[in-house]
Amino acid sequence: MDFKTQVAAAAGLPGVATDALLVLVAGETPPEGLEAPLATVLAGAISSGDFACKAGQTLYAHHVPGVKAERVLFAAVGDASPKALRKTLGLAVAYLKTGGAKSLAVALAGASWTAAQAEALVAAISENSYVYRETKPSAPPAGKLAVVSLVCAKADAAMLGAALQRAKAIAEGTALARECANRPGNHCTPTFLAQQAQKLGKEHGLKVEVLDRKACEKLGMGSFLAVAQGSDEPLKFIVARYEGAAKTAAPVVLVGKGITFDTGGISIKPAAEMDEMKFDMGGAASVLGTLKAVAAMKAKVNLIGIIPACENMPSGRAVKPGDVVKSMSGQTIEVLNTDAEGRLILCDALTYAERFKPAVVVDIATLTGACVIALGHHRTGLFSPDDALAAELLAAGDAALDPAWRMPLDEEYDEALKSNFADMGNVGGRAGGSITAAKFLQRFTGKLRWAHLDIAGTAWKSGVAKGATGRPVPLLVHFVLSRAR
Ligand code: BES
Ligand code: MN
Ligand code: ZN
């Protein structure tokens, strides 16, 4: 999908050359200054009760005399906030998907666009045009829409053009994350994730290194290795580096959980909905998507993605409850529950991250069901002992319409991890499960400025709309860009 600006013709909206014209109507009364043929259609529909200026309402008109576009769609967008725009544009695009329009021009009646509104528009259109088809060739076609333009004043065109390009990069990174996570576990293996990283490397000049089991053994990653040992699928420890700033600039490091399928291991999960554990590499996918977006924008920042990738399987060689493993940090861990595997692979990746002397490290993981209970599917769980870093991430999430919510890390929660046989157990009790998971990770971050994002509730949707969301790529890209110079 191509996004561009289109300076409004002298004849105004009726003169805009496009297959379909979408007129966004803000506020509770018809906009002032709307040109005659359009204003007449709108007023007529309002008086006949077929349209009201209430967020979410739409009206379709075909071949309006005096309007160049064959198709005209009106949509009420409430206060026209980026959030409201994103919601309504989803509906409008779902409609256009089935039609014959190849080009769409979008106008904000009686107002000028802001960069944030332009970004929301790109996000809405992109997310609603994505179709998963890799293993479903019968999926309906994505629609004919290929070009979307923002109708704007000449003075705003440069600013909005830049906003559209940035938004497009975010949308494409998000789509990559969705696509990777949607692929089933027999397609999206650790090897596949490594190939995706290598492909990104070729396309964008990233330095990509993939460590195998032997290399991880040399590094002493006993915790990561313990999770991987039950699977016949070879593990991959992926490191991808984007260098957009001076070598001396400390990098942002993102660590993504890459469990390509989580059966729970010997502490096996119930059968119901276990298929959704193919999404357990959503953190890894978001790291790849963020790298893609940041590299495509050529942002002036150094960014490193680290992805420990493996399956969590039961087998005769699998790690067992009660086994004690030694992490790369030297700390020992009693594996009380093999289904708490995410933290076991992340802890070694966090220790590995130290070598890059990072400015900050953010890990992203579909880590706990408890986080879904705490926050549902709207906000990602954010954990950090660092107030400034937490504030940056929260602000990035708000700006990206990909919100997070800060959770506590009081030392009292750490007690749940005590073990009689190792430096720590890998689980606390059921109480505060997302917090004790974060406290476990925190034990491996002594030398780092660190934050943890638990995306168990936000990385995918269940039910009829089952599928990956690509979150939190928008949050992460905003965060990384805010650190670029
Ligand atoms: N990948 C799961 C977390 C998960 C579960 C995400 C359900 C989304 C929905 C993780 O590896 C896991 O199994 N966590 C356990 C931890 C428990 C054993 C302490 C959980 O949340 O039940
Ligand atoms: Mn698990
Ligand atoms: Zn898991």
Side-chain angles (χ1 to χ4, degrees):
M1 190 94 61
D2 203 15
F3 294 93
K4 58 188 182 92
T5 56
Q6 187 168 2
V7 174
L13 297 184
V16 173
T18 176
D19 291 350
L21 175 67
L22 172 56
V23 182
L24 303 179
V25 177
E28 273 149 33
T29 51
E32 280 169 37
L34 193 60
E35 294 83 356
L38 294 166
T40 314
V41 171
L42 195 62
I46 292 174
S47 68
S48 63
D50 292 303
F51 184 79
C53 296
K54 283 201 185 108
Q57 290 230 359
T58 54
L59 174 74
Y60 182 75
H62 208 78
H63 271 308
V64 179
V67 176
K68 201 163 182 181
E70 187 180 336
R71 305 161 188 82
V72 178
L73 194 60
F74 293 92
V77 291
D79 63 0
S81 65
K83 190 172 167 178
L85 281 183
R86 170 132 160 223
K87 235 180 179 170
T88 311
L89 281 160
L91 297 173
V93 173
Y95 176 82
L96 285 169
K97 252 186 182 173
T98 52
K102 293 194 192 86
S103 60
L104 169 70
V106 191
L108 201 50
S112 41
W113 292 94
T114 64
Q117 286 171 323
E119 185 174 326
L121 170 119
V122 173
I125 293 177
S126 306
E127 84 192 347
N128 284 286
S129 3
Y130 170 85
V131 182
Y132 174 79
R133 53 176 70 259
E134 178 66 17
T135 52
K136 188 181 177 182
S138 63
K144 298 196 179 80
L145 201 59
V147 189
V148 176
S149 56
L150 271 195
V151 181
C152 67
K154 197 169 179 186
D156 292 340
M159 176 274 287
L160 292 172
L164 290 173
Q165 288 324 300
R166 170 182 146 124
K168 185 182 163 181
I170 296 174
E172 288 177 353
T174 306
L176 173 68
R178 277 177 91 172
E179 181 62 28
C180 288
N182 279 335
R183 301 247 176 138
N186 61 330
H187 289 240
C188 178
T189 57
T191 303
F192 172 84
L193 287 178
Q195 285 164 349
Q196 288 298 304
Q198 264 145 354
K199 189 162 160 247
L200 271 185
K202 284 222 175 79
E203 287 166 2
H204 297 286
L206 312 184
K207 294 182 177 153
V208 179
E209 231 183 315
V210 179
L211 310 188
D212 60 6
R213 181 172 56 84
K214 274 207 175 119
C216 294
E217 279 168 2
K218 260 198 189 138
L219 287 162
M221 295 184 171
S223 188
F224 174 40
L225 287 160
V227 175
Q229 78 192 31
S231 169
D232 291 338
E233 203 59 63
L235 68 81
K236 303 286 167 186
F237 189 90
I238 305 160
V239 183
R241 290 187 283 170
Y242 165 73
E243 287 167 3
K247 281 217 158 61
T248 49
V252 173
V253 175
L254 303 178
V255 177
K257 172 177 172 182
I259 294 290
T260 59
F261 197 78
D262 181 12
T263 65
I266 298 298
S267 315
I268 199 161
K269 287 181 181 295
E273 284 157 29
M274 202 205 275
D275 65 291
E276 296 190 2
M277 285 300 125
K278 73 172 184 177
F279 296 121
D280 212 15
M281 34 57 71
S286 76
V287 171
L288 294 175
T290 302
L291 278 164
K292 179 178 169 79
V294 170
M297 280 181 250
K298 300 191 164 61
K300 294 193 165 103
V301 64
N302 291 331
L303 176 64
I304 301 179
I306 302 179
I307 297 171
C310 68
E311 289 181 333
N312 185 22
M313 298 289 281
S315 90
R317 268 180 289 113
V319 68
K320 305 174 293 299
D323 285 2
V324 174
V325 300
K326 188 168 180 185
S327 67
M328 184 177 171
S329 72
Q331 300 176 92
T332 58
I333 304 161
E334 185 184 11
V335 182
L336 289 164
N337 189 322
T338 66
D339 197 10
E341 85 297 340
R343 60 198 81 180
L344 293 175
I345 71 170
L346 291 170
C347 67
D348 282 342
L350 288 167
T351 302
Y352 186 86
E354 284 173 10
R355 69 186 51 210
F356 298 114
K357 302 197 168 41
V360 292
V361 177
V362 181
D363 78 71
I364 309 101
T366 49
L367 202 64
T368 65
C371 191
V372 189
I373 302 302
L375 294 175
H377 301 286
H378 181 52
R379 286 182 186 264
T380 290
L382 160 66
F383 300 78
S384 180
D386 185 318
D387 290 343
L389 178 56
E392 267 184 66
L393 286 159
L394 287 174
D398 288 342
L401 301 181
D402 183 8
W405 191 259
R406 192 169 179 192
M407 299 283 282
L409 282 171
D410 305 76
E411 64 184 42
E412 283 79 357
Y413 291 106
D414 195 71
E415 278 159 36
L417 297 173
K418 279 187 180 150
S419 160
N420 291 347
F421 303 104
D423 294 332
M424 69 197 89
N426 75 330
V427 292
R430 272 165 54 80
S434 69
I435 309 169
T436 51
K439 290 305 288 183
F440 178 94
L441 294 177
Q442 193 180 11
R443 289 178 174 229
F444 298 85
T445 62
K447 297 182 186 120
L448 304 168
R449 271 194 86 190
W450 161 80
H452 157 60
L453 295 171
D454 193 332
I455 57 168
T458 52
W460 77 87
K461 291 182 175 146
S462 308
V464 280
K466 191 190 286 184
T469 60
R471 293 181 65 183
V473 170
L475 178 157
L476 291 169
V477 177
H478 273 255
F479 170 71
V480 174
L481 290 182
S482 75
R483 295 190 139 258
R485 64 162 185 86

